[in-house]
Amino acid sequence: MTAGPPIDELHFEDAPTVDSVPGPKTRALLEKQERIDSSAVAYPDDIPIAFEEGKGATVRDADGNTYIDLFAGIGVLNVGHSNPYVLEAVHEQADKFVHTVDFPTEARLELIEKLDEIAPDGLQGQNKVVFGGPTGSDAIEASIKLAKYNTGGDGLIAFRGGYHGATTGAMSVTSNKKFKGPYTPLLSDVVHAPYPHPFRQDRTPENAVDRALEEVKAIVEDPYGGLANPAGIIVEPIQGEGGIVTPPERFLQGLRDIADDNDVVLVFDEIQSGLGRTGRWWASDWEGVAPDVMTSAKALGGAGFPLSATIYHEDLDTWGAGDHAGTYRGHVVGMRAGMRAIEYIQDHDLLAHARDLGEYIRGRLREAGDGNDRLADVRGRGLFIGAEFVDADGEPDGDTVDAVQQYCFERGVLIWTAGRHGNVLRFLPPLVLTRALAETALDVVVEAIEDVTAESKRAV
């Protein structure tokens, strides 16, 4: 029996349909939020929208405007908004029990078994799972603790362009200086190595990988490398916030080899790139490389429920009872939702769908870039896609990306940005996005690129 309805039955039929946006009800809600909510609120500064409801890969605002959603809560809603197959289990579970700390429940144990079923080769059948707090940052904190606990080391290697979260340890391995600057000192002995990014480095893929691996190897093995007591290497198999930077082949395997040779723990942060986002269960599956530890969150909660997990090789399961804890590690509603989401992906073959649809989207973007020197690079895997823009001098152009985002919003397509300079258009649609919706959305995106870049050239 197929899990739930097919993907073409999940969405608002009238998407996209927008009037002048933002509408009056949305403006009132935004004004109220500005009065009473935290000054740390950020997303409405980029897209002034107040959501009312969502279905599949479409959302509706407080004024009834309907949009195609190409960012899915920043990669959270992989099986779409309000997926009925997921919500059926959510309602059943919520009526019975919501919070269980880490007492056994069927929901908890079934999700652990399902995560083992889809784990990378090298972890499958020989892993343990620890659920943590509600965010990806919590999973990163757990991975740092696990690396230190098992190695006796305290040094960490992370990567430039990397983002891992907002708690102290997660910020320490994040590379954004402005983001973490006001909160220093953070963890000591964290070194950031270059991440292979051929486009920005003006290098061949081979040279970019060689440079990155040489630097990591020197940090770990050079007697004067500076990191006295390394515990682990933490890396995104594809950088998300950094601009959907997709490393060339050999990079992940090279890190695996360095970690093995030096008895340090290799951690893959799959919080944004995992659970089918790239057309494989995990971005690292594309290279066939397994980590010692893997973090998951975002889409793990199925329908947007806060849930994180750290999946690690059983040889590292040296913790005693209570050595890692967290109140919300028993969110059984989120666990049921996560289980149903994975089943929906499996039963509707959404990994293959993500690969095929991703090829289509990247193809449309590359066509838009033919003869347009402002759209400099299109990259990614599956439905994890970045389009990088530069100005007339070849420098990062965040203003163009902001203008494209606004143009799309006004015409009913929601899309987000990324990159060190905010100059990457980031595509993170639900995996249930249909070909028809993708074609409609890309018509708008391509038109935005053509109009905005043409206007930018006229202004020079």
Side-chain angles (χ1 to χ4, degrees):
M1 179 178 178
T2 303
I7 65 172
D8 57 1
E9 296 180 8
L10 298 179
H11 320 279
F12 290 123
E13 293 183 359
D14 60 341
T17 306
V18 296
D19 199 350
S20 177
V21 293
K25 292 181 180 179
T26 293
R27 288 197 300 272
L29 289 168
L30 291 169
E31 289 167 3
K32 183 175 183 179
Q33 181 181 43
E34 188 172 357
R35 289 197 309 272
I36 68 175
D37 207 341
S38 167
S39 60
V41 167
Y43 289 103
D45 291 342
D46 294 297
I47 297 181
I49 190 170
F51 293 113
E52 181 72 20
E53 57 182 326
K55 291 180 66 176
T58 60
V59 294
R60 189 165 284 161
D61 71 13
D63 295 282
N65 298 299
T66 309
Y67 306 80
I68 300 173
D69 180 8
L70 298 183
F71 72 95
I74 309 299
V76 168
L77 297 156
N78 281 12
V79 296
H81 299 269
S82 305
N83 185 296
Y85 182 69
V86 176
L87 292 185
E88 177 187 47
V90 165
H91 296 313
E92 290 174 356
Q93 184 62 53
D95 287 340
K96 294 166 59 178
F97 219 94
V98 173
H99 175 67
T100 64
V101 196
D102 60 7
F103 291 100
T105 61
E106 287 187 2
R108 180 190 190 89
L109 301 180
E110 286 175 356
L111 181 56
I112 291 172
E113 289 177 334
K114 181 61 76 170
L115 288 172
D116 177 65
E117 178 184 319
I118 65 173
D121 291 341
L123 283 180
Q124 195 171 93
Q126 47 188 344
N127 68 80
K128 299 290 184 178
V129 176
V130 60
F131 295 106
T135 72
S137 297
D138 296 292
I140 293 295
E141 297 289 345
S143 71
I144 291 171
K145 290 170 64 177
L146 195 66
K148 290 184 173 184
Y149 195 92
N150 277 276
T151 65
D154 56 18
L156 298 167
I157 299 169
F159 292 87
R160 297 169 201 160
Y163 178 84
H164 301 283
T167 51
T168 296
M171 272 201 296
S172 299
V173 291
T174 291
S175 66
N176 187 327
K177 294 186 288 186
K178 181 180 178 181
F179 177 67
K180 65 186 185 180
Y183 310 108
T184 57
L186 299 170
L187 296 185
S188 60
D189 275 347
V190 176
V191 179
H192 288 84
Y195 194 92
H197 191 340
F199 173 70
R200 293 309 310 161
Q201 292 175 351
D202 193 26
R203 295 169 177 266
T204 67
E206 294 77 13
N207 288 343
V209 170
D210 288 343
R211 176 174 178 254
L213 293 178
E214 285 168 7
E215 183 68 16
V216 174
K217 189 176 180 69
I219 292 167
V220 177
E221 297 181 1
D222 187 335
Y224 282 75
L227 192 63
N229 199 11
I233 300 169
I234 298 180
V235 65
E236 295 165 276
I238 297 176
Q239 287 189 340
E241 298 294 326
I244 321 300
V245 183
T246 309
E249 292 181 3
R250 295 194 299 111
F251 176 60
L252 296 183
Q253 184 59 57
L255 295 180
R256 176 72 275 168
D257 295 340
I258 293 169
D260 289 341
D261 291 344
N262 294 277
D263 296 321
V264 297
V265 173
L266 180 61
V267 180
F268 285 171
D269 179 346
E270 293 266 13
I271 291 165
Q272 190 167 147
S273 61
L275 290 166
R277 168 60 47 198
T278 68
R280 306 285 185 196
W281 283 114
W282 313 101
S284 55
D285 287 344
W286 283 95
E287 304 301 329
V289 180
D292 301 304
V293 182
M294 185 171 67
T295 59
S296 181
K298 285 191 180 289
L300 183 64
F305 288 100
L307 183 66
S308 71
T310 305
I311 305 163
Y312 57 96
H313 196 281
E314 61 187 4
D315 289 349
L316 300 178
D317 194 37
T318 56
W319 274 331
D323 280 348
H324 183 69
T327 300
Y328 288 102
R329 63 191 187 275
H331 189 354
V332 287
V333 176
M335 291 169 180
R336 286 290 304 278
M339 178 73 176
R340 281 290 183 98
I342 294 171
E343 290 176 344
Y344 190 89
I345 291 170
Q346 290 175 320
D347 283 8
H348 294 269
D349 201 14
L350 293 189
L351 299 184
H353 177 68
R355 295 193 297 271
D356 293 343
L357 199 59
E359 286 288 342
Y360 166 74
I361 293 172
R362 289 191 297 277
R364 287 289 305 273
L365 292 170
R366 288 180 178 130
E367 287 176 7
D370 288 343
N372 187 340
D373 58 0
R374 302 300 176 85
L375 176 48
D377 194 32
V378 176
R379 53 183 177 259
R381 293 188 186 276
L383 291 175
F384 199 28
I385 299 167
E388 183 159 355
F389 289 80
V390 297
D391 63 17
D393 298 319
E395 296 300 317
D397 188 358
D399 290 341
T400 287
V401 171
D402 290 342
V404 169
Q405 182 186 51
Q406 179 67 22
Y407 186 106
C408 292
F409 165 61
E410 292 172 356
R411 290 156 181 80
V413 175
L414 303 181
I415 194 165
W416 214 253
T417 65
R420 301 184 193 187
H421 306 282
N423 66 315
V424 177
L425 204 62
R426 174 168 39 165
F427 295 76
L428 288 169
L431 306 185
V432 298
L433 181 73
T434 63
R435 175 64 180 252
L437 284 171
E439 290 174 354
T440 300
L442 264 294
D443 287 344
V444 174
V445 172
V446 169
E447 182 181 277
I449 292 170
E450 291 172 348
D451 284 10
V452 169
T453 57
E455 179 64 28
S456 176
K457 290 176 182 178
R458 286 193 294 269
V460 173

